[in-house]
Amino acid sequence: MSFERHQGVQDAAAAEKEYQKKLLDTVFEVAGDNVEMINEGIVKALRGENDKARRTYLWNTLSKAAAARIRRARRKFSVV
């Protein structure tokens, strides 16, 4: 694999990660620290995504990441 191709793959992965972070931030604007609101936040974040397979993948990724972020925040601030 050439260096240029490898760099292109890394750039694409970095762009995807940045996109997912932006979506996750949108989820947290809606959900806050309420686990039950995660789904509503994901609906809002994925509103413009039309590819069904990609939407399913992002839904699963965002729901796991959001739940983990809420757990970490609660643990950090000792909120039950």
Side-chain angles (χ1 to χ4, degrees):
M1 183 182 285
S2 70
F3 175 74
E4 293 83 18
R5 182 176 173 142
H6 183 68
Q7 187 66 32
V9 170
Q10 285 180 337
D11 291 345
E16 178 67 20
K17 193 170 193 173
E18 185 63 31
Y19 178 64
Q20 287 182 14
K21 184 179 180 331
K22 213 180 281 188
L23 291 175
L24 188 57
D25 290 342
T26 303
V27 171
F28 275 101
E29 286 176 16
V30 175
D33 64 349
N34 189 346
V35 176
E36 286 79 31
M37 294 291 290
I38 289 175
N39 288 345
E40 290 181 34
I42 294 173
V43 167
K44 181 178 179 181
L46 295 180
R47 195 159 279 151
E49 192 67 48
N50 294 323
D51 179 22
K52 186 175 181 181
R54 177 158 173 71
R55 191 176 172 89
T56 300
Y57 166 76
L58 287 171
W59 186 285
N60 292 332
T61 301
L62 292 173
S63 61
K64 289 176 188 173
R69 188 184 276 185
I70 290 172
R71 275 195 311 273
R72 283 192 305 273
R74 286 183 176 168
R75 205 175 308 136
K76 183 177 180 180
F77 298 110
S78 299
V79 176
V80 178

